[in-house]
Amino acid sequence: MESSSSQPKFDYLFKLLLIGDSGVGKSTLLLSFTYDAFEELSPTIGVDFKVKHVTPGGKSLRFGTLLDRKDLEH
């Protein structure tokens, strides 16, 4: 018997990856998108992950957003 918890709770899944130069506002954009809030943030160290669920037109959408803040300069 299959567990109902193994079934997805959304119709569509979108995965977003935000990359860019240090200090351009990736964390602020992520916070604004996931929590509808705007806030000045200190620099992120490492990786941050947020999830947002929306239901437009009766379809459940899940956005998994990964923010990689680490500078990758050589």
Side-chain angles (χ1 to χ4, degrees):
M1 175 165 43
E2 285 189 40
S3 169
S4 63
S5 65
S6 66
Q7 299 298 322
K9 306 268 191 260
F10 48 85
D11 296 307
Y12 299 99
L13 170 64
F14 294 91
K15 295 181 181 181
L16 308 170
L17 175 64
L18 299 177
I19 56 173
D21 291 336
S22 177
V24 297
K26 296 178 300 294
S27 296
T28 301
L29 179 65
L30 181 61
L31 182 70
S32 177
F33 176 71
T34 54
Y35 297 118
D36 296 323
F38 182 82
E39 179 179 321
E40 295 277 335
L41 299 172
S42 59
T44 305
I45 298 173
V47 175
D48 193 9
F49 183 78
K50 302 281 189 233
V51 174
K52 179 172 184 165
H53 296 269
V54 294
T55 310
K59 294 289 184 183
S60 177
L61 307 177
R62 178 180 178 195
F63 291 90
T65 308
L66 177 68
L67 171 69
D68 183 2
R69 164 62 182 83
K70 220 160 97 176
D71 294 330
L72 300 176
E73 296 176 12
H74 298 317

